[in-house]
Amino acid sequence: MASASSEKGQVATPPVAIPYSPVVAHWFYKRSVDTKFIWTPFSHYDSALLETSLNLDDSTLIIPVEGGRYDVNIKERTKTPVYWEGKAIEVRRCSWFYKGVDSKYVPYTEDTAALLEAEYKRSAETGEWHQKIMLANGEQVVFHGPTVIVHFLPQQNADTWGASTQGSMRPRVVKRDLDDFTIEQGESQRVDHLLFMVHGIGSACDLKMRSVEEVVDDFRVIAQQLVQSHYKNSTDMGLVGRVEVLPISWHGHLHSEELGIDEKLKSITLESIPRLRNFTNDTLLDVLFYTSPKYCQKIMNTVADALNDVYLKYRMRHPEFNGGVSLAGHSLGSLILFDLLCHQEPLKESEEENKENPDQLPQKQSSQKVQLPTSDPLPKQVSYAMGPEGTGQPVITYTQLIFHPKKFFALGSPIGMFVTIRGIDKLGLDFHLPTCPGFYNIFHPFDPVAYRIEALVNPDMNGIRPVLIPHHKGRKRMHLELKETMTRVGADIKQRFMDTFKTTLDSVNFLTTVTKVKKEAEESLEKETSQTSSQAFQKQTEDQDESSVASSSCKLRNRTDSNSTTASDPEFIELDFPLGKLNDSKRVDYVLQEAPLEFINEYIFALSSHVCYWGSEDTILFVMKEIYASLGISTDSQVPQSSMTIERPVSHESSVSHSLLPM
């Protein structure tokens, strides 16, 4: 009876109403990671822009988001890339979420969210909770309270042994607000510079098998964080905005169905080890395609046309932009850009005034481009000539760019090797890129594909170490500092030992000379006293002169050894070797600092070092410094090392064999 009365008392508890405030909706987009889908929130700026546009009369309004790199169709709820090809992805206005199996929040559809919000409002105003809302497919959401809401899946049938599986299906946690989401404020609307990045061989740019669009996204995010941390003062004063980084892809056009090269290779490919052979056909053969006179023209046209198209499209969508453009290429992509820039023609005087207005420039690429027949998109007759490209370089037509790049960054580049095998032993001090004054050859010390450039410009640079790129926190890596310290200590110990040995040797020689002279003087004193004394004095003088010469020779030798040790480290001295017109007579070769783990065994990390540039903070900061240096802006005098952290975006994680080597 007591129990019954107690239950009756609980039922009779009066409802308690709570203040109600409408839920704040935020816009999300769905992206694919491996075989899963992850809903990612737009920035506060983009979400507010989409929310404002939702109330406009034009339901087909296209809204640019993420710095203008994507367009969102409000009516269709899709997001599509602007400057590269890509599938449209789903966009959703979200306010209610449930926690999935992987603990990631998944938004309800907009209709379901509106239904849950209406029930939540009613329960909050009346205080009547413990309500069940039926959804599609037999699912239901139960309101136990304002903060305790669960989602039950439909009842499962009994399994083969007669046991119900409902007990193993835990209910989902339902969430109404955005407290557990990390949402960015949004990118700066001011763009100081454009950076176009060209990938190397294959469709995958790193060992995670990510496309050029994905790795460039990481590059852009890290660059923005580094600019905010190293140019904080300039950013606060409104002098620095951001660098827009855009990908340029050519692999898909080369392996398209139009050319049919994949089908031709498939008919002659052996059936054994199919995965390795498919990787070879799709990736490694791109190097041979570029050396082929037919496909080299296709690759060059694709890259040059893409650069011009992206630049024109960006200028059309951002007419207020008045910044410069730089180019970056990874591996084979750097060689493509190098050959393209070597064959550019400077603007005429009549065109210089309109170089900032590309719509008024003559479309050189249309007249210079090879007109390919519709039946066969590749030329059949190819001639070879000896010229500045070297013996064996196919004579192809190079499309003219409608802009002049400010700088060219070659990452992990085989340019030096290709130039050498083309029969060019020396580029010479007069060599330069006609329309691009800046040239930087950046490489990891263990990169097996990278080669140097400076020795081709000036053979006297052979043996001179490349410039060491500083750590992004403003110091050298600890293991390199320790190595250099031990080297200097060893050199000091050796020098002190040689000085001590020389002093001891001089003392022994002096004592030996004195004893010898004394003995000879005593033996001949009775015979010829004056003559013997004169000879002894002359002998002593000659020995002292020889000792002085030996000492001077030893000092000169030590000074020479010391100079050679210092010369092997060009970071601390100024070189007298001229570098000609390339890169405005400044250094060209720049080497990264290997990580402590990589220092253990350089062979183990050789393959991964070739694809490290996309996410290397040191590389990205170096590129940003050179770009902003041309704008007259330098980094802050002090970098907050202890508080500075680089948050890498969540990327595509795939288990890939480390034998793969994108180039």
Side-chain angles (χ1 to χ4, degrees):
M1 294 294 294
S3 175
S5 62
S6 176
E7 293 178 357
K8 183 177 180 180
Q10 292 179 358
V11 174
T13 301
V16 179
I18 62 173
Y20 169 78
S21 58
V23 67
V24 177
H26 196 91
W27 290 77
F28 283 66
Y29 61 92
K30 183 171 66 173
R31 61 192 183 95
S32 176
V33 178
D34 289 339
T35 57
K36 302 178 182 178
F37 292 100
I38 297 179
W39 286 89
T40 305
F42 284 100
S43 66
H44 285 294
Y45 178 87
D46 289 338
S47 181
L49 186 62
L50 293 172
E51 190 70 15
T52 303
S53 304
L54 182 65
N55 300 325
L56 299 179
D57 296 336
D58 188 2
S59 58
T60 61
L61 193 62
I62 305 298
I63 307 300
V65 296
E66 299 187 20
R69 296 183 297 275
Y70 294 89
D71 282 340
V72 171
N73 190 313
I74 298 293
K75 181 179 180 180
E76 298 179 359
R77 294 294 199 271
T78 56
K79 167 187 165 185
T80 54
V82 175
Y83 300 107
W84 61 89
E85 298 179 358
K87 297 181 180 179
I89 60 178
E90 183 180 356
V91 170
R92 186 176 297 178
R93 184 175 180 267
C94 307
S95 56
W96 284 76
F97 309 84
Y98 67 86
K99 185 175 291 187
V101 179
D102 54 356
S103 299
K104 301 289 185 181
Y105 282 107
V106 180
Y108 287 98
T109 62
E110 297 184 29
D111 293 339
T112 302
L115 176 63
L116 296 177
E117 181 65 18
E119 181 61 29
Y120 181 88
K121 178 181 179 182
R122 188 196 67 80
S123 298
E125 294 175 346
T126 62
E128 298 178 356
W129 301 96
H130 302 283
Q131 303 295 325
K132 294 182 180 180
I133 296 90
M134 300 302 299
L135 304 179
N137 301 325
E139 301 179 6
Q140 60 182 359
V141 176
V142 179
F143 285 74
H144 293 294
T147 58
V148 182
I149 307 174
V150 292
H151 181 161
F152 289 97
L153 297 176
Q155 181 70 29
Q156 301 291 332
N157 297 328
D159 58 16
T160 307
W161 302 96
S164 176
T165 59
Q166 176 65 24
S168 61
M169 300 297 294
R170 301 178 59 182
R172 296 169 173 172
V173 177
V174 179
K175 186 175 180 59
R176 181 175 178 264
D177 50 48
L178 301 170
D179 294 340
D180 293 343
F181 292 98
T182 302
I183 304 177
E184 301 292 338
Q185 291 297 325
E187 301 179 33
S188 173
Q189 298 304 304
R190 172 182 172 178
V191 176
D192 304 318
H193 202 82
L194 289 179
L195 177 62
F196 298 150
M197 303 196 71
V198 181
H199 66 86
I201 65 174
S203 58
C205 294
D206 61 1
L207 297 180
K208 299 176 184 178
M209 301 301 291
R210 295 185 298 171
S211 64
V212 63
E213 292 81 13
E214 292 177 296
V215 295
V216 167
D217 282 343
D218 283 4
F219 191 100
R220 184 189 308 108
V221 171
I222 297 175
Q224 185 175 357
Q225 296 178 12
L226 290 172
V227 169
Q228 292 174 354
S229 61
H230 288 71
Y231 293 86
K232 186 177 185 304
N233 295 336
S234 299
T235 302
D236 295 341
M237 292 187 295
L239 301 177
V240 169
R242 66 182 178 90
V243 175
E244 181 63 275
V245 189
L246 298 176
I248 302 295
S249 178
W250 54 269
H251 178 267
H253 296 271
L254 178 64
H255 293 263
S256 62
E257 296 181 358
E258 177 186 0
L259 295 182
I261 184 61
D262 289 343
E263 291 297 326
K264 296 177 183 178
L265 292 175
K266 184 178 179 180
S267 62
I268 60 176
T269 301
L270 301 181
E271 297 180 356
S272 58
I273 52 173
R275 292 185 178 180
L276 182 58
R277 297 189 188 279
N278 291 337
F279 170 76
T280 301
N281 292 345
D282 184 68
T283 303
L284 298 181
L285 287 185
D286 286 352
V287 180
L288 299 181
F289 287 149
Y290 189 70
T291 60
S292 166
K294 290 186 176 182
Y295 297 103
C296 180
Q297 184 69 68
K298 174 63 177 178
I299 295 174
M300 191 61 62
N301 289 347
T302 301
V303 172
D305 292 345
L307 290 171
N308 287 335
D309 292 343
V310 172
Y311 179 74
L312 278 176
K313 186 176 294 185
Y314 188 88
R315 289 295 301 267
M316 292 177 61
R317 293 172 64 95
H318 303 83
E320 75 286 354
F321 175 74
N322 59 358
V325 185
S326 291
L327 303 178
H330 175 243
S331 194
L332 183 63
S334 65
L335 178 64
I336 298 173
L337 291 178
F338 178 80
D339 289 340
L340 180 63
L341 293 176
C342 284
H343 294 80
Q344 295 299 299
E345 299 177 1
L347 292 177
K348 300 178 181 178
E349 295 182 0
S350 59
E351 301 170 352
E352 280 291 334
E353 299 178 357
N354 298 325
K355 66 180 180 180
E356 299 299 336
N357 300 315
D359 296 336
Q360 302 179 17
L361 292 178
Q363 301 299 313
K364 296 182 179 181
Q365 72 273 18
S366 60
S367 60
Q368 296 290 338
K369 182 178 177 181
V370 174
Q371 300 296 328
L372 303 177
T374 55
S375 59
D376 189 353
L378 298 173
K380 295 180 178 299
Q381 300 296 331
V382 178
S383 60
Y384 291 87
M386 180 61 185
E389 299 84 20
T391 304
Q393 175 72 3
V395 179
I396 63 174
T397 304
Y398 292 88
T399 301
Q400 296 298 302
L401 299 178
I402 59 176
F403 59 89
H404 285 181
K406 302 297 183 181
K407 297 180 183 295
F408 167 43
F409 301 94
L411 310 177
S413 174
I415 292 176
M417 181 266 291
F418 272 86
V419 170
T420 302
I421 64 176
R422 288 173 181 174
I424 302 176
D425 298 330
K426 180 181 179 181
L427 292 174
L429 298 178
D430 292 333
F431 175 79
H432 66 285
L433 304 178
T435 60
C436 182
F439 180 31
Y440 303 87
N441 183 36
I442 305 171
F443 53 89
H444 191 283
F446 302 156
D447 189 343
V449 182
Y451 290 82
R452 297 192 58 179
I453 301 294
E454 292 176 342
L456 290 174
V457 178
N458 186 351
D460 294 337
M461 293 294 294
N462 186 21
I464 302 299
R465 293 182 182 178
V467 181
L468 188 67
I469 296 179
H471 193 272
H472 66 281
K473 291 188 177 181
R475 56 173 175 78
K476 284 188 178 181
R477 295 183 183 271
M478 186 175 299
H479 71 284
L480 294 179
E481 293 179 347
L482 179 60
K483 179 182 177 182
E484 291 181 358
T485 301
M486 296 302 297
T487 302
R488 287 195 297 266
V489 170
D492 292 342
I493 293 176
K494 179 180 179 181
Q495 184 63 34
R496 292 180 181 179
F497 173 78
M498 294 301 297
D499 292 342
T500 303
F501 178 76
K502 178 181 67 66
T503 303
T504 303
L505 184 61
D506 291 345
S507 300
V508 172
N509 291 337
F510 178 76
L511 293 176
T512 303
T513 303
V514 172
T515 303
K516 183 178 181 181
V517 171
K518 182 179 179 181
K519 183 177 181 181
E520 292 178 353
E522 292 177 349
E523 292 178 351
S524 59
L525 182 59
E526 296 179 355
K527 297 180 179 179
E528 299 178 0
T529 303
S530 59
Q531 182 179 359
T532 305
S533 299
S534 177
Q535 292 177 352
F537 179 77
Q538 183 179 1
K539 182 67 174 179
Q540 183 178 1
T541 304
E542 293 176 355
D543 292 342
Q544 289 179 352
D545 291 341
E546 292 177 359
S547 177
S548 177
V549 172
S551 177
S552 300
S553 176
C554 184
K555 290 181 180 179
L556 179 60
R557 189 185 312 109
N558 292 335
R559 189 180 301 113
T560 304
D561 294 341
S562 177
N563 290 339
S564 63
T565 303
T566 307
S568 64
D569 193 355
E571 306 160 46
F572 306 101
I573 65 171
E574 296 182 1
L575 295 177
D576 295 330
F577 300 106
L579 284 174
K581 299 180 180 179
L582 189 62
N583 198 25
D584 293 332
S585 299
K586 297 183 295 184
R587 294 294 300 272
V588 175
D589 293 336
Y590 294 84
V591 62
L592 294 170
Q593 303 179 37
E594 68 272 17
L597 187 60
E598 297 173 340
F599 182 72
I600 297 176
N601 192 317
E602 57 190 39
Y603 290 95
I604 296 178
F605 298 95
L607 299 183
S608 61
S609 65
H610 181 60
V611 294
C612 71
Y613 310 99
W614 304 107
S616 169
E617 293 90 349
D618 297 350
T619 301
I620 298 173
L621 180 59
F622 177 82
V623 173
M624 295 298 108
K625 283 183 177 180
E626 294 300 326
I627 289 177
Y628 278 107
S630 62
L631 302 177
I633 301 175
S634 58
T635 58
D636 298 340
S637 57
Q638 186 175 2
V639 179
Q641 298 182 7
S642 58
S643 60
M644 184 180 64
T645 57
I646 304 299
E647 297 182 1
R648 294 177 177 272
V650 179
S651 57
H652 177 74
E653 299 289 345
S654 301
S655 56
V656 185
S657 172
H658 288 279
S659 62
L660 306 185
L661 179 59
M663 181 177 175

